[in-house]
Amino acid sequence: MSPTSRRVRGPRFWIVSGVVLCGLAGTLLVYRASQQNFPQLLIQAEQAWQRDDYSQTLSWAERALVLQPGDQRASLFAGLACQQLGQPERALRYLEDIDDQAPFAVKARQTCGEICLHHLHRPTAAYAHYQRLLKLDPQNLQATQQLAYLLGLAGRGPEAEAHRLILIRLQQIEPVLLYLLGAHRSLLENVEDLDQFRQRAPDDLFLAPGLARQAVEQGRTAEALLLLRARVQESPQDVAAQVELGRLVRADQSQFSRWYQDLPDTVRQSDGVWSLLGMWAMDHGDSHAAARCFWEELRIDPSSVQANYQLGRWLSTQGNTEQADLLLKRAELLEHYESLVTLAWTGSHPSAVEEAAHTAEKLGLIWEAYGWSYLMSQHFPDTAWADEALVRLNQKIPALSPLRTTPESNPAAQLDLSRYPLPSLSDELETAPRSAQPVLAGTSASNIHFADQALELGMDFRFFNGSPRDQQTRRMQEFNGGGVAVLDYDCDGWPDLFLTQGAAWPASSGTEANSDRLFRKAQTDRFHDVTESARLVDQQFSAGVAVGDLDNDGFPDLYVANIGPNRMLLNNGDGTFREITIPSGTAGDDWSTSAAIADLNGDQFPDLYVVNYLSGDDLFERLCRDEHDLVRSCSPRDFAAAQDRLYLSQGDGRFSDATETAGVRVPDGKGLGVTVADFSGSGLLDIFVANDAVPNFYFVNQGNSHTGTPRMSEEALLRGLALNEAGRAEACMGIAVGDANGDSRFDLFVTNFYNETNTLYQQTAVGDFQDATRAAHLAAPSLKMLGFGTQFFDPDRDGDLDLLVANGHIDNLSDTGVPYEMPAQVFQNDGLGHFTEPTDSTLGAYFGIRQLGRAVAILDWNRDGLEDVAITHLDTPATLLTNQSHPVGNALRLNLRGTASSRDAIGTRVTVEVNGRTLTRQLTAGDGFQASNQRQLVVGIGTATQIDRLTVRWPQGSTLITTSVPINTECLLIEGRDTVLAQP
């Protein structure tokens, strides 16, 4: 380098160095100044916040953060200001950086939770923030409330319960809180919020269990499966998601096994999983393993209705009646408590609040008992029972743990079933299906077809429910519709039809135009209205009707169920009837719905069971409103039950009321349908009553007392007929009786309300029933229907009993997306008790029409050997469906007459052996909802041209065995005779 170069560089170096040093000095001075100004900036931010100047708050806070990035207090002010300025994302960026050790961390977590929940609709993030908040402040009210809300929305009821109990301890008690605690855990909470979260955060799977449950309710099962599988992959510890997934795949052996094997060990030990595993074990015949599972469930959740119910039923089969009775009664009481809660939380039923409080205390639900009592004392300070309860419960509350049920009320504590094995989900344990029975006729859905011929045949009838269609008042009496009965009143061999009619309300204002109607079937293939000539004109508000030969004179009589006094109509044998209600002693004065005529005590004279519904001073006038103050039909839970009646025939036209002495005085019936049959093969007739929103009744005939009175024991809980498989009472209406799966035992099919599946109670052992609805593939098709009348029948005569159901809602809720009119359904049996639904285009035009279907009766109006159907509707013409199925099989057509038994021969069991199959039928009475079928048995035998053997067992015990029975011909079988008579 040259000397010149060195001279030039020297001064520049010192100049640059001087500048750098000056810069460093300046920076140091600015830093010192900023340290002095930072506290002032925070003060200014706080002052701006206090005067609600959020823009200035944000400005000062952000200037402070420039000086000291990450400062916790500045971040808080910046985040709070952004929240107020409508900038939630920006607010979160500031607030989420605040450490939980900061003195104002509670405020930060609280605000983050609020932003994620209410502004951004991110449930996963909101849940995490509120959990952190609760760790910082275990008594934080907002965190407790919002965690309960989020968990409830996600379908995680058990986890939500813990937070809701804490709210009671904090005396933050609202009616809805107690409702959510007391209602069924599967209750779908805040549906509108659920939809909003789905729209705003479609990829957030926190709410997947709730969304999946909603999808299933709306018939979108595939979508529910996708949601749940995504959730359990993301969060395997989500018990609610795992349980919902297991529930959906339960019917598939391989999928269920794979689901269970993939469960984390901690989830396997959870409530909900145990019950589901128990139901799977029951599906596969492993009752001991099922009992172990339900016991394990009760150890975690003593208030599981399903576990109490199913374990109680198992214990009864093991002879442990004491423990069984304890569990079954607890299940029934829990179910009753849930019904009370639905009334009590609205505040419009003070008596329900008191009963809910007492029932909760009896069940060991002390927190809830305290909550109901506290609410009552706050709103009605002079309520004595509430004050007394609070004094009593306040002695327990301080030492009470945040568990819903007190340990001493846990029935599992008194049992030890640990010795029983757990279910094995290996493929070897899968229950093998029964061997396929020989196919007796074509089972293609295309061969079943019906045509509505009511009007062209002269059966012109329209039910009038008391108000014009466009002026419905939605009073209780308006929705049940009329009944239908089949009888050959003139004994000319042709079935006639009797239909009941409503009336303008009050009924005393009715006219003859609204009378019940009798349509006589003439040989000319038409029906003629003979109401007046038969002396049957009536102006009462009628419901169901029963047919039976009350005096054994060969002519069928009628009993009409009314609102108010019923009518007993004796057939004179000359084409007319005479009313003998008053002298018979069977009038009553209730709201009667259905009735059955059958000889219950074996004295040859038919007796009468009358199903009564509701009672109350304002029963027929009360108007109920929904949450939007719109008038809606009231719930049966809003009224007390009316007591059913049993009348025993004295043999001379008089009847005695044996309700008390026979043991059928049971409270809370609310009955709609009835059937009488010999379910056990004992020769004694039992009674099943379908009750609305309360447990069903099953009266088992124990034989007569020394006075000749039948001794009826109500055993629906013990026998598995009171509730569905989940231990829930349903809104039951129609009843069908038949051997659904070909095992020679008689099963019961019961129709239920919208969003409740219909229920198939399969008789698995003599007198013991199990809910087989899902296994029979009858659950999903009925979930979005409201079923009324139903019957088993064999329209294609292949020997397999199919099902028909009439559907229609009780209230027009179409503004909420719920259908009002609904199509009728046919379910075709594969012979193994599995059902499929043919398309309406195959079945006929009627099945594509949406109507308000009500009562259903089976008959063969044209005597062609094919079973036809009569259906009543609400405020639209009744239907007569002519069976035009083709091809069809051959059949036996049997008319039965008793001699030692009553003439109607109710309870007679017929067994047909043909081509390796055994077909069992029975003549029953009280054919479900407000109906009475033709008293003829049609037994399809398919392609067979003769039978191997016919066995007829009469109610009095005698038996006819024969191989000589003509097919496709009406035959008469008379008790005591060995011959089968062909009828013209």
Side-chain angles (χ1 to χ4, degrees):
M1 184 175 292
S2 67
T4 306
S5 297
R6 285 197 296 272
R7 285 196 295 269
V8 173
R9 184 178 179 184
R12 288 180 179 175
F13 172 78
W14 289 112
I15 292 170
V16 171
S17 299
V19 171
V20 170
L21 289 174
C22 289
L24 288 174
T27 300
L28 183 60
L29 291 173
V30 170
Y31 173 76
R32 289 176 177 173
S34 70
Q35 289 300 302
Q36 294 173 353
N37 291 333
F38 179 78
Q40 185 62 36
L41 291 173
L42 286 182
I43 291 172
Q44 289 174 317
E46 184 173 5
Q47 288 174 345
W49 174 260
Q50 289 173 351
R51 62 176 182 267
D52 299 333
D53 188 345
Y54 306 123
S55 295
Q56 280 299 308
T57 302
L58 179 60
S59 176
W60 292 120
E62 287 187 327
R63 289 175 66 181
L65 286 169
V66 169
L67 298 178
Q68 286 197 25
D71 180 81
Q72 304 271 287
R73 190 169 181 81
S75 295
L76 177 68
F77 281 123
L80 294 177
C82 286
Q83 180 200 23
Q84 294 297 325
L85 292 169
Q87 303 173 28
E89 294 279 11
R90 191 176 175 189
L92 277 182
R93 286 196 293 272
Y94 286 119
L95 296 172
E96 285 180 335
D97 290 338
I98 296 175
D99 190 89
D100 284 352
Q101 305 304 315
F104 32 80
V106 167
K107 180 64 176 177
R109 297 283 73 74
Q110 191 168 304
T111 308
C112 284
E114 184 179 341
I115 290 171
C116 291
L117 183 61
H118 298 297
H119 299 282
L120 299 177
H121 292 84
R122 297 175 184 169
T124 298
Y127 180 74
H129 283 297
Y130 283 124
Q131 275 195 312
R132 289 171 65 184
L133 174 57
L134 204 60
K135 288 180 180 178
L136 292 171
D137 179 11
Q139 299 298 310
N140 188 279
L141 183 59
Q142 184 178 4
T144 305
Q145 289 174 328
Q146 301 297 16
L147 284 171
Y149 166 77
L150 280 166
L151 290 167
L153 200 63
R156 294 163 64 173
E159 295 172 78
E161 275 179 10
H163 298 290
R164 287 167 177 157
L165 294 175
I166 291 171
L167 290 172
I168 295 178
R169 183 189 288 279
L170 298 173
Q171 293 191 338
Q172 300 297 313
I173 306 171
E174 297 292 337
V176 68
L177 170 69
L178 295 173
Y179 169 68
L180 293 173
L181 270 172
H184 186 207
R185 281 183 174 185
S186 65
L187 178 74
L188 200 57
E189 299 181 27
N190 299 297
V191 176
E192 294 179 358
D193 293 356
L194 202 58
D195 291 335
Q196 192 173 16
F197 274 105
R198 180 72 183 275
Q199 293 171 7
R200 294 287 299 274
D203 298 327
D204 194 322
L205 295 174
F206 181 84
L207 302 180
L211 289 167
R213 192 177 297 159
Q214 182 185 42
V216 170
E217 286 190 2
Q218 296 173 353
R220 296 179 283 113
T221 305
E223 179 183 330
L225 282 168
L226 288 173
L227 272 170
L228 293 169
R229 286 181 171 133
R231 175 59 177 174
V232 299
Q233 184 176 6
E234 174 188 85
S235 181
Q237 299 293 334
D238 188 334
V239 176
Q242 293 282 16
V243 170
E244 289 299 322
L245 180 58
R247 187 174 289 121
L248 289 181
V249 302
R250 174 180 138 193
D252 187 302
Q253 162 74 14
S254 61
Q255 286 195 61
F256 189 86
S257 179
R258 189 160 52 250
W259 164 80
Y260 185 73
Q261 299 302 330
D262 290 343
L263 287 179
D265 289 340
T266 53
V267 175
R268 288 189 187 185
Q269 307 303 314
S270 303
D271 60 326
V273 173
W274 282 116
S275 276
L276 188 55
L277 194 59
M279 292 308 302
W280 184 90
M282 286 184 62
D283 292 342
H284 292 76
D286 193 353
S287 61
H288 288 73
R292 166 72 185 276
C293 292
F294 293 127
W295 175 69
E296 295 282 5
E297 175 79 13
L298 288 178
R299 295 176 68 194
I300 304 170
D301 178 18
S303 294
S304 167
V305 182
Q306 183 178 50
N308 277 284
Y309 180 57
Q310 296 293 357
L311 184 55
R313 292 197 59 245
W314 178 82
L315 287 169
S316 70
T317 65
Q318 304 301 302
N320 191 341
T321 55
E322 183 178 351
Q323 289 293 337
D325 189 58
L326 175 68
L327 287 160
L328 290 172
K329 286 184 176 177
R330 180 174 177 82
E332 189 174 31
L333 195 59
L334 282 164
E335 207 281 333
H336 177 60
Y337 175 64
E338 291 182 10
S339 298
L340 289 171
V341 165
T342 62
L343 293 177
W345 82 281
T346 64
S348 58
H349 298 79
S351 61
V353 177
E354 180 179 3
E355 190 176 355
H358 293 327
T359 304
E361 187 173 3
K362 188 183 298 184
L363 288 165
L365 309 176
I366 304 302
W367 288 110
E368 287 157 80
Y370 176 83
W372 290 117
S373 305
Y374 178 87
L375 275 181
M376 202 67 181
S377 68
Q378 293 294 304
H379 293 282
F380 302 94
D382 296 328
T383 306
W385 72 261
D387 294 338
E388 293 169 4
L390 287 175
V391 170
R392 183 173 62 254
L393 295 171
N394 272 320
Q395 298 174 4
K396 303 178 180 180
I397 289 295
L400 208 59
S401 60
L403 295 174
R404 189 180 178 213
T405 308
T406 55
E408 60 270 18
S409 300
N410 188 345
Q414 303 176 36
L415 296 167
D416 183 6
L417 301 187
S418 58
R419 66 185 182 279
Y420 289 104
L422 295 174
S424 171
L425 274 75
S426 61
D427 292 337
E428 290 78 17
L429 261 189
E430 183 177 8
T431 301
R434 293 191 302 117
S435 298
Q437 302 254 18
V439 177
L440 300 179
T443 56
S444 169
S446 62
N447 66 323
I448 299 179
H449 186 81
F450 293 90
D452 182 4
Q453 294 186 308
L455 292 179
E456 67 182 88
L457 294 173
M459 198 189 85
D460 186 1
F461 179 87
R462 181 189 296 261
F463 182 81
F464 177 63
N465 72 346
S467 299
R469 184 178 176 87
D470 59 348
Q471 299 176 25
Q472 297 294 294
T473 64
R474 291 187 166 93
R475 289 182 169 85
M476 292 299 290
Q477 68 271 23
E478 293 180 357
F479 62 71
N480 272 357
V484 58
V486 185
L487 71 162
D488 181 6
Y489 88 104
D490 53 2
C491 293
D492 66 351
W494 294 89
D496 311 305
L497 281 164
F498 183 87
L499 296 104
T500 66
Q501 182 59 282
W505 196 259
S508 58
S509 63
T511 66
E512 291 186 7
N514 289 330
S515 172
D516 302 336
R517 293 288 163 186
L518 175 62
F519 292 92
R520 177 179 181 268
K521 171 62 180 64
Q523 295 188 27
T524 59
D525 280 356
R526 285 188 62 81
F527 287 86
H528 300 277
D529 187 338
V530 295
T531 308
E532 292 187 17
S533 62
R535 301 175 187 172
L536 289 172
V537 174
D538 172 51
Q539 287 87 47
Q540 290 178 266
F541 201 116
S542 301
V545 55
V547 174
D549 192 349
L550 292 164
D551 53 4
N552 289 318
D553 67 349
F555 291 93
D557 308 304
L558 291 167
Y559 186 83
V560 182
N562 294 320
I563 295 177
N566 300 324
R567 301 178 76 205
M568 180 170 281
L569 302 162
L570 205 64
N571 193 331
N572 294 319
D574 60 359
T576 67
F577 290 80
R578 71 180 186 276
E579 183 170 350
I580 61 167
T581 310
I582 300 303
S584 73
T586 61
D589 195 25
D590 295 298
W591 180 358
S592 300
T593 51
S594 299
I597 298 173
D599 181 10
L600 295 170
N601 58 359
D603 65 356
Q604 293 186 294
F605 290 98
D607 308 303
L608 176 66
Y609 189 94
V610 181
V611 176
N612 293 321
Y613 190 33
L614 305 174
S615 64
D617 293 338
D618 64 343
L619 173 58
F620 305 110
E621 302 300 331
R622 187 188 302 183
L623 297 177
C624 295
R625 298 181 181 275
D626 64 9
E627 64 273 16
H628 304 296
D629 202 36
L630 297 174
V631 176
R632 302 294 194 191
S633 293
C634 298
S635 165
R637 293 187 177 94
D638 294 328
F639 303 94
Q643 174 62 51
D644 292 353
R645 294 288 168 185
L646 173 60
Y647 299 100
L648 292 182
S649 174
Q650 303 302 297
D652 58 0
R654 295 177 300 157
F655 289 74
S656 62
D657 188 338
T659 305
E660 191 80 45
T661 56
V664 299
R665 179 176 288 281
V666 182
D668 299 326
K670 302 181 181 179
L672 288 174
V674 64
T675 193
V676 175
D678 175 8
F679 287 99
S680 64
S682 66
L684 301 174
L685 294 176
D686 307 314
I687 304 168
F688 176 80
V689 180
N691 288 324
D692 190 1
V694 293
N696 300 319
F697 292 157
Y698 182 54
F699 295 103
V700 178
N701 196 330
Q702 308 287 335
N704 294 343
S705 67
H706 67 280
T707 63
T709 301
R711 294 174 294 120
M712 310 300 292
S713 174
E714 204 291 293
E715 299 181 7
L717 271 174
L718 281 171
R719 305 294 184 135
L721 289 170
L723 311 167
N724 66 7
E725 71 168 16
R728 305 290 165 187
E730 297 172 298
C732 304
M733 285 157 282
I735 310 167
V737 179
D739 178 10
N741 60 349
D743 64 356
S744 296
R745 300 189 185 102
F746 293 100
D747 311 307
L748 284 157
F749 178 77
V750 179
T751 59
N752 297 315
F753 207 73
Y754 186 81
N755 270 343
E756 295 177 345
T757 68
N758 297 332
T759 304
L760 176 64
Y761 293 104
Q762 190 175 98
Q763 191 171 183
T764 54
V766 176
D768 191 72
F769 295 81
Q770 180 177 321
D771 182 345
T773 311
R774 295 181 187 278
H777 308 154
L778 288 167
S782 62
L783 185 64
K784 293 303 175 181
M785 296 289 180
L786 196 160
F788 272 90
T790 184
Q791 302 292 345
F792 278 114
F793 70 149
D794 186 4
D796 56 0
R797 305 200 310 196
D798 65 353
D800 305 323
L801 288 179
D802 306 317
L803 277 165
L804 187 143
V805 180
N807 299 303
H809 214 291
I810 65 169
D811 201 349
N812 190 347
L813 305 175
S814 53
D815 57 313
T816 66
V818 175
Y820 186 34
E821 292 94 350
M822 299 173 179
Q825 295 172 290
V826 167
F827 298 102
Q828 196 165 12
N829 194 339
D830 69 352
L832 302 175
H834 306 133
F835 293 83
T836 56
E837 185 177 6
T839 63
D840 54 9
S841 59
T842 296
L843 295 171
Y846 172 79
F847 293 91
I849 301 172
R850 294 177 179 271
Q851 306 211 52
L852 300 177
R854 292 302 185 254
V856 175
I858 302 298
L859 72 160
D860 179 9
W861 71 265
N862 54 7
R863 298 178 69 180
D864 65 352
L866 297 177
E867 291 178 295
D868 310 308
V869 187
I871 305 177
T872 67
H873 304 113
L874 194 64
D875 198 34
T876 55
T879 288
L880 182 60
L881 295 176
T882 300
N883 189 344
Q884 298 180 345
S885 302
H886 182 79
V888 295
N890 298 313
L892 304 187
R893 298 158 61 189
L894 308 176
N895 296 313
L896 307 172
R897 298 290 182 268
T899 55
S901 308
S902 68
R903 185 179 177 87
D904 289 335
I906 300 300
T908 302
R909 181 183 295 244
V910 171
T911 302
V912 177
E913 297 171 53
V914 55
N915 284 1
R917 293 192 64 177
T918 299
L919 308 173
T920 306
R921 305 289 185 264
Q922 184 177 163
L923 200 62
T924 62
D927 298 306
F929 178 75
Q930 301 187 170
S932 188
N933 294 327
Q934 183 177 356
R935 295 290 178 254
Q936 182 183 86
L937 295 179
V938 177
V939 186
I941 59 172
T943 56
T945 57
Q946 63 181 18
I947 65 166
D948 299 321
R949 181 163 61 177
L950 168 69
T951 303
V952 180
R953 187 179 185 278
W954 300 92
Q956 291 291 354
S958 63
T959 301
L960 166 66
I961 301 176
T962 181
T963 59
S964 179
V965 184
I967 64 171
N968 300 334
T969 300
E970 287 188 51
C971 298
L972 177 63
L973 289 79
I974 301 175
E975 186 178 14
R977 297 190 185 182
D978 294 332
T979 56
V980 178
L981 305 175
Q983 292 182 294

